[in-house]
Amino acid sequence: MTALDLSSPVAVVGTGTMGQGIAQVALVAGHPVRLYDAVPDRAREAAAAIGARLDRLVEKGRLTAADRDAARARLRPADDLADLADCALVVEAVLERLDVKQELFRALEGVVSPDCLLATNTSSLSVTAIGGALSHPGRFVGLHFFNPAPLLPLVEVVSGFATDVTSATRAYETARAWGKTPVACADTPGFIVNRIARPFYAEAFAVYEAQAADPATIDAVLRESGGFRMGAFELTDLIGQDVNESVTHSVWQSFFQDVRFTPSLAQRRLVESGRLGRKTGRGWYDHRDGAERPEPHTAEKRQPPAYVVAEGDLGPASELLAMIREAGIQVREEDEDNGSRLVLPGGGQLVLTDGQTSVEFRDVVYFDLALDYRKATRIALSASQDTGARTVSEATGLFQALGKDVSLIGDVPGMIVARTVARIIDLAHDAVAKGVATEEDVDTAMRLGVNYPLGPFEWSRRLGRTWACSVLDDLHQRDPSGRYAPSLALYRHSFATEKREGAS
């Protein structure tokens, strides 16, 4: 099954920001495009807005004047649903209400031809449930674009329970012909991106709720150590706290209130107070004119230790040993079967976070996971009230000698980056095991849909296939609510790896 022929008209119903974006994508690809909105004159206003955006593309040299004029000639507002009768594809981008969408598609089914492909751009509702209102749901599919649709490459092509393979394939190939990067997924709450991305927000909020760090510090650690484009607090302020919380709540409810997707009480209070982010001027941050952006916690300058003793290897942080030597600090290596750590001159220990807490041990400082320890510009350290001041000072000075800003946070298991990445890896394994998508499509979706520096399976391969399960096991022991319990899929993955290694 191939993509729709460019001569085939495409209709977009709903002319808000997303609807206009989808229409622009189809139009620039070469299709005749019909715009329909139930509100009088809105389709014409949307057509004018799309025309203005095409003008800007010409000004920027991204579109020729001839191509713009041809695209404008192919764009036509529709006064009635009956005007969509000749369309080969109708994409809906209306209000996120099941009853509204079902009513629309029942009406469309009576207008378009039997072989017209019907698609919803829903981000939170069940594709199966929307298509359940149709007499012929086999031609119904989800086409979930990301905002802004003309710029972001990802499209989730969602097959409902009754979607025909031919319909899903045609939708997939059409999205690809439009210059997008489609990924195929089953109809599951949140699809790929909104399902697997929940821990990115949830774990940041959990660290904040535990009073271990403030939003500016958590965001800085996620960016400068984790390699994420934006931190969770600044990103949700951009998205809108109400929008982000609504998606979280929808996924949580759709999974029958699964504790792994539990919404944040702190975010709920923010929404209740009307602080929705940039669009209201205040969210986690103050975005009003003249407001100062809070700075992340950064430790004062400390003296680095003269040497460190490396016991065992540091696993994902093994590159630090070479960096420490390059900084002129002596590294004494000792074989050690009891774990991996750096012993500081004062006798304290510096350990890569593993899901345990500093208070459980004598004089231990944990350091957080980094995407790339050489490129990271900030490292988070955590210690308990019982950790010696000298140990904290030596650990701080060590990382500062490596050119890093240091943020001291509270004694929370898994810290910030590690617990976030471990949970993302776990949800990804769980999704693939349940047939939601392939590993490759999950990685593609998370890189392109939310700009993650690595896909979950790329993270897993880099960190070692047992790393996430080990971290989550430790977290689960300290919070047995089930939130951090590794999925059966991750257990199987890790155990099978250990078994093969043990047999070799």
Side-chain angles (χ1 to χ4, degrees):
M1 182 63 67
T2 58
L4 294 176
D5 188 272
L6 289 181
S7 63
S8 302
V10 171
V12 177
V13 178
T15 58
T17 300
M18 183 58 79
Q20 290 181 31
I22 296 169
Q24 181 179 327
V25 170
L27 191 65
V28 171
H31 288 273
V33 173
R34 313 275 189 269
L35 285 174
Y36 175 79
D37 199 291
V39 178
D41 295 325
R42 188 163 288 177
R44 286 179 171 77
E45 293 171 2
I50 293 170
R53 283 199 291 273
L54 295 179
D55 288 340
R56 288 195 291 274
L57 290 177
V58 173
E59 292 170 4
K60 295 177 180 179
R62 298 177 184 172
L63 191 70
T64 67
D67 286 342
R68 174 201 59 196
D69 294 342
R72 278 181 165 170
R74 294 193 301 272
L75 181 62
R76 193 179 82 196
D79 295 321
D80 191 273
L81 281 181
D83 296 336
L84 313 183
D86 63 337
C87 290
L89 167 64
V90 180
V91 184
E92 163 273 317
V94 302
L95 188 67
E96 282 286 276
R97 274 181 43 188
L98 180 62
D99 59 335
V100 171
K101 293 178 187 291
Q102 287 179 328
E103 182 180 355
L104 169 64
F105 282 110
R106 276 194 293 263
L108 282 168
E109 199 171 31
V111 169
V112 299
S113 65
D115 59 351
C116 175
L117 191 62
L118 299 177
T120 176
N121 183 59
T122 186
S123 61
S124 61
L125 299 176
S126 164
V127 171
T128 301
I130 300 171
L134 298 175
S135 299
H136 302 286
R139 61 168 162 172
F140 186 72
V141 66
L143 275 178
H144 181 216
F145 289 78
F146 288 74
N147 196 26
L151 297 180
L152 294 185
L154 185 70
V155 178
E156 292 177 318
V157 181
V158 186
S159 293
F161 186 78
T163 302
D164 292 336
V165 172
T166 53
S167 298
T169 303
R170 171 156 283 184
Y172 184 98
E173 294 300 333
T174 297
R176 186 157 63 177
W178 290 358
K180 296 302 180 182
T181 302
V183 292
C185 65
D187 184 23
T188 184
F191 310 142
I192 299 174
V193 172
N194 281 329
R195 172 178 178 154
I196 296 173
R198 294 349 291 163
F200 179 74
Y201 313 108
E203 295 312 308
F205 299 159
V207 172
Y208 168 76
E209 289 172 337
Q211 300 187 47
D214 60 274
T217 300
I218 296 169
D219 278 353
V221 172
L222 286 168
R223 289 194 313 270
E224 298 176 43
S225 183
F228 292 96
R229 185 75 60 86
M230 299 179 74
F233 296 91
E234 57 190 342
L235 180 55
T236 52
D237 265 2
L238 178 64
I239 295 169
Q241 298 301 331
D242 52 340
V243 174
N244 181 260
E245 194 215 24
S246 176
V247 172
T248 299
H249 195 271
S250 174
V251 172
W252 175 61
Q253 289 283 21
S254 297
F255 277 113
F256 308 105
Q257 300 186 0
D258 186 329
V259 68
R260 295 176 301 166
F261 301 101
T262 301
S264 162
L265 181 59
Q267 188 180 38
R268 175 93 293 263
R269 293 291 179 259
L270 203 66
V271 172
E272 289 173 341
S273 71
R275 297 186 177 188
L276 307 182
R278 290 183 178 273
K279 62 186 175 184
T280 61
R282 298 185 73 181
W284 295 112
Y285 298 105
D286 190 340
H287 301 280
R288 295 172 296 183
D289 291 343
E292 291 187 12
R293 180 69 176 261
E295 294 294 324
H297 174 273
T298 302
E300 294 180 0
K301 191 70 177 177
R302 301 295 181 190
Q303 284 295 318
Y307 68 90
V308 296
V309 178
E311 296 184 349
D313 71 64
L314 296 181
S318 58
E319 180 68 11
L320 285 175
L321 297 181
M323 295 168 60
I324 293 169
R325 290 190 180 96
E326 291 163 12
I329 299 171
Q330 183 183 7
V331 177
R332 305 172 184 172
E333 295 193 55
E334 295 183 3
D335 291 333
E336 181 62 50
D337 294 331
N338 296 325
S340 303
R341 64 184 65 84
L342 295 176
V343 181
L344 300 164
Q349 299 177 26
L350 186 57
V351 182
L352 175 62
T353 186
D354 54 7
Q356 301 182 83
T357 55
S358 178
V359 75
E360 300 170 54
F361 305 96
R362 187 186 67 83
D363 216 14
V364 166
V365 170
Y366 277 108
F367 65 95
D368 206 354
L369 181 69
L371 172 68
D372 184 324
Y373 282 98
R374 285 195 176 273
K375 294 180 180 179
T377 57
R378 182 177 300 273
I379 294 292
L381 302 181
S382 70
S384 75
Q385 66 272 21
D386 297 329
T387 306
R390 178 177 176 179
T391 299
V392 174
S393 178
E394 289 178 340
T396 301
L398 176 65
F399 278 105
Q400 288 173 338
L402 305 184
K404 316 301 181 187
D405 287 328
V406 173
S407 291
L408 296 172
I409 71 170
D411 188 19
V412 287
M415 300 186 68
I416 298 171
V417 180
R419 68 195 290 167
T420 300
V421 171
R423 288 207 60 217
I424 289 170
I425 289 172
D426 182 54
L427 290 188
H429 276 279
D430 184 54
V432 170
K434 292 176 178 174
V436 173
T438 65
E439 291 186 8
E440 182 181 2
D441 277 355
V442 167
D443 278 353
T444 298
M446 302 313 292
R447 286 197 314 270
L448 299 184
V450 279
N451 287 315
Y452 283 5
L454 295 174
F457 293 97
E458 292 172 316
W459 269 112
S460 185
R461 287 189 291 272
R462 175 179 290 200
L463 296 169
R465 294 177 67 184
T466 62
W467 178 85
C469 192
S470 176
V471 170
L472 292 174
D473 260 336
D474 283 339
L475 280 162
H476 179 55
Q477 289 179 38
R478 286 146 190 84
D479 178 0
S481 64
R483 178 188 181 106
Y484 300 103
S487 66
L488 180 59
L490 189 61
Y491 261 128
R492 283 173 171 161
H493 181 75
S494 299
F495 179 75
T497 303
E498 289 181 342
K499 188 174 181 180
R500 286 195 297 272
E501 290 173 351
S504 62

